[in-house]
Amino acid sequence: MDYTVKGSDIILHQPDFDLDETLDCGQAFRWAKTAPDTYEGYYLNDFLRISRIGDETFLLENTTEHDLLDKWYNYLDLSTDYGELKRRFSEDKTLARACEYAGGIRILRQDSWEALSSFIISQNNNIPRIKGIIGRLVEHYEGYPDAERLREETEESLAFLRSGFRAKYLVDAVHKMLSGELDLEKIKSLPLNDAQKELMRIKGVGPKVAMCALLFGMYRTDAFPIDVWMKRALERWYPNGLPECVKGYEGTAQQYLFHYIRNHPNEQM
DNA sequence: TTCCAGGCGTATC
DNA sequence: GATACGCATGGA
């Protein structure tokens, strides 16, 4: 990692990193673009303002070296060589185009409970409204609430979220977390299909939400969420399955494909 | 007004 | 196991 400390800020040099493509691509819902090339958001309840200030150069304001090494290095997945991953993926013609189109995508290492609960809220919903619901959630609890803080909530008491039928799913997830029926730390290291099956014990968690929780909240890069967009991508480009070159990183490849097809809804091949 | 959104539970075959 | 339908809400 290439960085310098400058007063109370950090200057980070980082290739293969685009703020829009990473922070505003539907994998995390608590980042806001507050100025051109500037985002503000949170990992759990730790705030960060990050700006692109030059070619592959970023400013992390009010950030200590300790914050960087202890939190943001991990959250922004700075230990992964995305250049190398993109070279591997580019053996496949479609993925080559997708990586070319949005080469600055990274998979964030989000908190597992936040990712799980966020993607419960995401089902049959659109990204602006997901952000709205999660915005009301963090405002109400003055930060992202863990399961313990949601212990007493019911479908009715969560009406202020205006999350519709998803409120009861959230309540069920909280109960299964608190009772110990679900242990995200254990699930993290299970074989993919077993991990998915465990998460699907929660009402409202199906195959897709479970995969999103695994990919975005537990850094399981082998998890491959299939939503309406990926269904189209698979039918169009991979009717016989994914190429060998994505093995172990199906989820990372998925993120490039997701971004690409959403912005090229009519392109064939 | 109708359609749709990073799906899933339920009923039915 | 596959398929059809309803579901809360709000933006286009």
Side-chain angles (χ1 to χ4, degrees):
Chain A
M1 183 171 48
D2 180 2
Y3 68 94
T4 54
V5 179
K6 192 175 175 189
S8 58
D9 303 330
I10 299 278
I11 310 286
L12 173 70
H13 180 261
Q14 181 63 51
D16 310 305
F17 183 26
D18 182 275
L19 297 179
D20 293 323
E21 290 165 10
T22 299
L23 302 176
D24 194 20
C25 64
Q27 64 170 315
F29 304 101
R30 284 209 291 158
W31 290 93
K33 193 171 193 167
T34 56
D37 291 317
T38 297
Y39 277 83
E40 296 180 7
Y42 297 84
Y43 168 63
L44 292 175
N45 294 321
D46 293 325
F47 176 80
L48 177 67
R49 176 184 293 126
I50 183 168
S51 309
R52 194 183 71 87
I53 56 171
D55 186 34
E56 300 187 346
T57 308
F58 301 87
L59 172 69
L60 284 69
E61 284 179 70
N62 250 321
T63 302
T64 65
E65 188 170 18
H66 179 264
D67 291 334
L68 176 66
L69 300 177
D70 194 48
K71 291 187 298 237
W72 305 114
Y73 175 77
N74 181 60
Y75 180 80
L76 299 170
D77 197 23
L78 300 183
S79 63
T80 298
D81 184 347
Y82 280 81
E84 170 59 25
L85 276 178
K86 286 187 287 182
R87 278 190 291 280
R88 279 181 49 181
F89 293 163
S90 294
E91 278 179 31
D92 177 78
K93 290 278 180 271
T94 303
L95 267 165
R97 286 206 308 282
C99 292
E100 180 75 18
Y101 174 70
I105 288 175
R106 310 181 77 82
I107 304 290
L108 298 169
R109 298 189 187 233
Q110 299 182 64
D111 173 68
S112 53
W113 164 250
E114 177 172 337
L116 172 61
S117 45
S118 292
F119 278 94
I120 287 174
I121 290 166
S122 79
Q123 69 173 80
N124 193 225
N125 213 340
N126 57 60
I127 291 175
R129 214 171 82 81
I130 298 164
K131 285 184 175 177
I133 292 166
I134 291 172
R136 289 187 283 279
L137 185 70
V138 297
E139 187 179 12
H140 184 88
Y141 295 97
E142 300 177 341
Y144 203 98
D146 59 18
E148 182 54 45
R149 290 232 40 207
L150 294 167
R151 178 183 283 280
E152 306 295 333
E153 301 297 359
T154 63
E155 184 178 355
E156 292 73 29
S157 73
L158 290 176
F160 71 94
L161 291 176
R162 285 175 280 151
S163 63
F165 60 85
R166 304 164 193 85
K168 55 182 177 291
Y169 299 156
L170 217 44
V171 169
D172 189 57
V174 168
H175 290 167
K176 288 194 166 63
M177 292 282 292
L178 293 177
S179 71
E181 185 175 341
L182 241 78
D183 183 340
L184 298 185
E185 279 308 310
K186 269 188 198 157
I187 290 173
K188 242 176 229 190
S189 51
L190 292 177
L192 188 63
N193 289 336
D194 296 345
Q196 185 191 36
K197 207 176 295 176
E198 278 299 298
L199 290 168
M200 286 173 62
R201 297 159 65 94
I202 302 167
K203 258 199 193 323
V205 175
K208 190 270 180 182
V209 169
M211 285 297 192
C212 282
L214 285 161
L215 175 58
F216 300 123
M218 307 185 204
Y219 201 70
R220 287 294 295 263
T221 58
D222 55 339
F224 190 80
I226 300 176
D227 70 334
V228 289
W229 290 102
M230 287 313 298
K231 207 166 285 176
R232 289 168 204 160
L234 290 175
E235 285 168 6
R236 187 178 301 175
W237 295 315
Y238 304 107
N240 301 314
L242 292 172
E244 187 71 12
C245 65
V246 303
K247 208 170 178 62
Y249 293 89
E250 291 84 351
T252 315
Q254 188 265 15
Q255 201 60 5
Y256 291 105
L257 292 170
F258 174 75
H259 195 79
Y260 187 68
I261 196 166
R262 264 210 330 164
N263 292 288
H264 301 78
N266 298 314
E267 182 181 325
Q268 291 304 313
M269 283 179 62

